[in-house]
Amino acid sequence: MIFAGITKSSLLDYPGNISIVLYTPGCNYDCFYCHNRELIEDLTEKISIEDIMDLLNKRIGLIDSVVISGGEPTLHFDLIPFLKKVKSMGYLTKLDTNGSNPEVIKNCIEEDVVDYYAVDYKAPASRYKEIVRSNADAEVVLETINLLIENSKTFEVRTTVIPQLSINDLIQMAKELPKLPRYVLNPYRTPVNYLPKDEELVKTPPYSESEIAEMASIIKLYQTNVILPF
């Protein structure tokens, strides 16, 4: 397993738990607002698996969970063996994913290696390729989400409320999604690193927290379990 970043202690990434967050390089999406662009382009220095395991061994009993984020972790062939090893150490596990690889998620479910999933739903289906800028398919992401529901897994879906999404977009997304146990609307923050061609997009003024809260009150008509992280 290859990692290119680490947060040694987080109270935010796994609800109710203290986590170590490990970031995998590489992604099959190219969202203009990505906060981990250096991971998309695989420009970061790699962290040896020996250093990762040494840290995990030292933190047993001090940290509750290990979060695998990215980049897109499901692109890595040895994700499941690594998760098995982490669980054998007594940690809870969480997987952050863009939902583009339902077959990998199916395998994770069958092997019972993930305790909590977080899936990003980026845009209305009709705008998915525009926002994600790849061959992304919202239907594939919805397949991943439905797999988690059908198998009674613990998960949340997340949407970053970028300024390019209107309330009508958010309503359409809420209608497209199945009934969710937890739907997190995250505020948009300007990324530090972005492509020069995207400067106008990334510097569009964001919605305020009060505006997002107002949007959430409308979205709750379609998704009752909306969460605001502020």
Side-chain angles (χ1 to χ4, degrees):
M1 194 73 187
I2 301 172
F3 295 103
I6 185 168
T7 300
K8 293 184 179 180
S9 182
S10 170
L11 296 174
L12 301 176
D13 286 270
Y14 193 132
N17 289 280
I18 305 171
S19 304
I20 291 174
V21 186
L22 303 175
Y23 301 91
T24 62
C27 189
N28 53 339
Y29 284 5
D30 188 22
C31 306
F32 69 85
Y33 57 92
C34 182
H35 278 265
N36 292 327
R37 178 152 294 279
E38 65 279 4
L39 295 176
I40 294 179
E41 298 174 1
D42 198 8
L43 298 176
T44 53
E45 184 176 345
K46 305 304 182 290
I47 304 170
S48 75
I49 193 64
E50 290 78 16
D51 287 345
I52 293 291
M53 298 312 299
D54 184 57
L55 177 64
L56 293 181
N57 277 308
K58 288 178 178 177
R59 294 295 179 92
I60 291 174
L62 301 175
I63 298 290
D64 306 308
S65 56
V66 176
V67 177
I68 311 298
S69 191
E72 176 49 41
T74 62
L75 299 178
H76 293 259
F77 74 93
D78 47 357
L79 173 65
I80 290 176
F82 181 77
L83 286 167
K84 284 182 178 180
K85 188 176 297 185
V86 170
K87 283 190 69 66
S88 73
M89 300 169 75
Y91 288 107
L92 295 170
T93 56
K94 175 174 175 274
L95 179 65
D96 292 344
T97 177
N98 61 25
S100 63
N101 290 305
E103 191 62 35
V104 175
I105 300 304
K106 180 181 178 183
N107 291 338
C108 286
I109 292 170
E110 290 174 348
E111 298 289 343
D112 194 25
V113 291
V114 177
D115 298 295
Y116 195 100
Y117 295 83
V119 183
D120 293 320
Y121 196 61
K122 307 276 190 179
S126 62
R127 298 189 65 196
Y128 228 77
K129 290 182 181 179
E130 170 200 344
I131 298 296
V132 174
R133 296 192 305 196
S134 73
N135 290 322
D137 184 349
E139 292 302 318
V140 174
V141 182
L142 292 170
E143 181 183 346
T144 292
I145 293 168
N146 281 310
L147 268 173
L148 296 173
I149 291 173
E150 291 162 7
N151 288 276
S152 302
K153 306 309 293 185
T154 303
F155 76 100
E156 65 184 42
V157 172
R158 310 179 297 192
T159 294
T160 298
V161 187
I162 58 175
Q164 289 75 20
L165 292 176
S166 68
I167 182 60
N168 288 333
D169 286 324
L170 293 173
I171 290 171
Q172 181 61 35
M173 294 165 70
K175 289 179 177 179
E176 291 170 357
L177 288 160
K179 183 175 175 56
L180 301 172
R182 182 178 167 97
Y183 185 30
V184 182
L185 296 181
N186 287 317
Y188 167 76
R189 295 183 176 87
T190 305
V192 175
N193 299 316
Y194 54 86
L195 298 176
K197 67 178 182 178
D198 293 332
E199 183 169 7
E200 184 176 349
L201 288 171
V202 300
K203 292 190 175 179
T204 302
Y207 293 112
S208 66
E209 289 186 357
S210 62
E211 287 174 318
I212 295 175
E214 185 176 348
M215 290 175 168
S217 68
I218 298 170
I219 298 305
K220 283 184 178 181
L221 298 173
Y222 309 94
Q223 292 287 343
T224 56
N225 300 313
V226 175
I227 303 295
L228 298 177
F230 51 80

